[in-house]
Amino acid sequence: MANTLDVTETYGLQEDKVRDFKEAFDYFAQKEGLYEELLTKNLCQHLQLMGYDPTTPELAQFRLSCDATATGKYTFDGMLKYISKILKTGDMEDVLKQVFRIFDKEGTGVLSTAFVADIFRAADQSMSEDDIQQIITETDADGSGEVDFEEFKEMMMGD
């Protein structure tokens, strides 16, 4: 299967699903004049054209997962890996735990609200400061200036 699709890892997805995602990815790459990567700034449009209308937190989480180093680009492998986790588990908590650990470099179990705001700015440059501050205020209801994993999960999943 991997040879016919020119994909080295399918993350447990069936060939027809991988093929569909690959065709969409290649179409977007051709439209953007790129090869084997897409611009993260166009991710929302890509997802919408594939029939998925993400919420702002979902979009930010997807961007963070596909472009964790903030290069401004994402690969098919990154996209497929993220999508496969959602399709296989139907539960984003494991994905969010991994993302939280990446950002919690000190291992303290909390992120500063300033750092979380920076994450949103990097993930979605079109997001307004008011929207970012509203999300931060709702997430850090006690005003501690810190976001633990449960608050992070609620923020990202929109619970």
Side-chain angles (χ1 to χ4, degrees):
M1 170 174 57
N3 291 341
T4 61
L5 295 173
D6 195 27
V7 173
T8 57
E9 177 63 59
T10 62
Y11 302 101
L13 294 176
Q14 294 180 354
E15 184 174 349
D16 61 330
K17 285 199 182 295
V18 174
R19 183 176 290 113
D20 290 345
F21 290 127
K22 181 69 171 145
E23 286 175 5
F25 186 91
D26 289 347
Y27 170 78
F28 299 138
Q30 181 182 18
K31 297 267 299 175
E32 292 180 9
L34 299 171
Y35 179 71
E36 294 190 7
E37 59 188 10
L38 295 174
L39 299 175
T40 308
K41 70 179 184 176
N42 297 332
L43 180 59
C44 184
Q45 179 185 11
H46 299 157
L47 293 171
Q48 288 171 338
L49 289 171
M50 288 191 296
Y52 183 70
D53 192 21
T55 64
T56 299
E58 287 172 328
L59 184 60
Q61 205 283 323
F62 197 99
R63 282 185 171 141
L64 293 172
S65 179
C66 289
D67 185 21
T69 57
T71 63
K73 297 177 181 175
Y74 68 98
T75 64
F76 177 70
D77 184 68
M79 181 185 83
L80 189 64
K81 184 176 183 180
Y82 180 81
I83 289 173
S84 72
K85 287 182 181 183
I86 293 171
L87 293 177
K88 286 193 304 188
T89 66
D91 181 6
M92 288 185 40
E93 187 165 348
D94 289 337
V95 174
L96 290 174
K97 282 180 184 176
Q98 291 173 5
V99 170
F100 189 85
R101 281 189 211 116
I102 290 169
F103 292 129
D104 183 18
K105 292 178 170 85
E106 310 291 312
T108 61
V110 294
L111 306 174
S112 74
T113 53
F115 181 72
V116 173
D118 288 343
I119 292 169
F120 276 106
R121 285 184 198 100
D124 186 355
Q125 294 176 353
S126 66
M127 185 181 285
S128 74
E129 285 298 315
D130 288 342
D131 288 343
I132 292 170
Q133 288 309 311
Q134 180 180 354
I135 292 169
I136 298 296
T137 301
E138 290 171 3
T139 301
D140 184 30
D142 65 358
S144 68
E146 297 178 330
V147 175
D148 65 18
F149 174 71
E150 288 302 317
E151 292 170 323
F152 182 79
K153 180 176 78 171
E154 284 182 32
M155 174 183 63
M156 298 308 283
M157 295 180 77
D159 292 344

